Amino acid sequence: YKDIGSPFKELTFEERRAIQRILDVMHEYFIQSVAENRNMAIEDVRKAADGKFYTGMEAKELGLVDFLGGKEIAEEIIKTRENLTEVKLVEYKKKTKLFDVFAGMMSAAGFSFGKGFAGGLVERKGAAVM
């Protein structure tokens, strides 16, 4: 199964089943974690965890978030909860390694190749493609 997800071959039924099994386990873990950490009934979380995404207002109505706002609101909440007069934010940046640059280039090249190849097939609509 080392090549599961390779763009150069179709997934077999067994590979699809293996991936789905892992996704199902991860999904259940996510549901349980949200229920536990948000103090929500697991069935309420299960209803909301159907793959849709929510606006901030919808998430607040569902009990998935406590507050709506940006960085400034978050800073004020931290100040209040921790009884601070100032909050200093630190931004961490991942160091780019040479491998990351090459991997990004190869990914972009592969995407461009696939897009161009598919575009060529579309242009040849009606022609037999082998």
Side-chain angles (χ1 to χ4, degrees), residues 21-76:
R21 181 186 58 77
I22 292 167
L23 291 173
D24 290 344
V25 168
M26 291 170 59
H27 189 244
E28 186 58 31
Y29 176 77
F30 173 77
I31 289 170
Q32 290 176 10
S33 294
V34 170
E36 180 180 326
N37 290 295
R38 300 296 305 167
N39 295 315
M40 295 174 66
I42 199 158
E43 287 310 315
D44 291 339
V45 176
R46 201 176 303 284
K47 284 183 214 168
D50 62 358
K52 290 185 290 207
F53 59 91
Y54 299 102
T55 65
M57 291 175 61
E58 290 170 325
K60 190 166 190 290
E61 288 171 9
L62 290 167
L64 300 172
V65 298
D66 295 322
F67 304 96
L68 298 178
K71 183 169 73 171
E72 294 79 18
I73 299 288
E75 288 178 17
E76 289 304 317

Side-chain angles (χ1 to χ4, degrees), residues 29-124:
Y29 176 77
F30 173 77
I31 289 170
Q32 290 176 10
S33 294
V34 170
E36 180 180 326
N37 290 295
R38 300 296 305 167
N39 295 315
M40 295 174 66
I42 199 158
E43 287 310 315
D44 291 339
V45 176
R46 201 176 303 284
K47 284 183 214 168
D50 62 358
K52 290 185 290 207
F53 59 91
Y54 299 102
T55 65
M57 291 175 61
E58 290 170 325
K60 190 166 190 290
E61 288 171 9
L62 290 167
L64 300 172
V65 298
D66 295 322
F67 304 96
L68 298 178
K71 183 169 73 171
E72 294 79 18
I73 299 288
E75 288 178 17
E76 289 304 317
I77 291 168
I78 292 169
K79 284 181 194 176
T80 302
R81 286 188 179 171
E82 301 299 322
N83 197 23
L84 299 171
T85 56
E86 181 183 354
V87 174
K88 182 180 177 188
L89 300 179
V90 178
E91 185 176 331
Y92 293 95
K93 295 184 180 180
K94 182 181 175 186
K95 290 183 180 179
T96 304
K97 298 176 184 171
L98 186 58
F99 176 79
D100 297 328
V101 173
F102 286 132
M105 289 170 43
M106 292 303 293
S107 177
F111 176 79
S112 295
F113 172 77
K115 186 175 178 184
F117 183 74
L121 292 176
V122 170
E123 286 176 12
R124 294 183 58 184

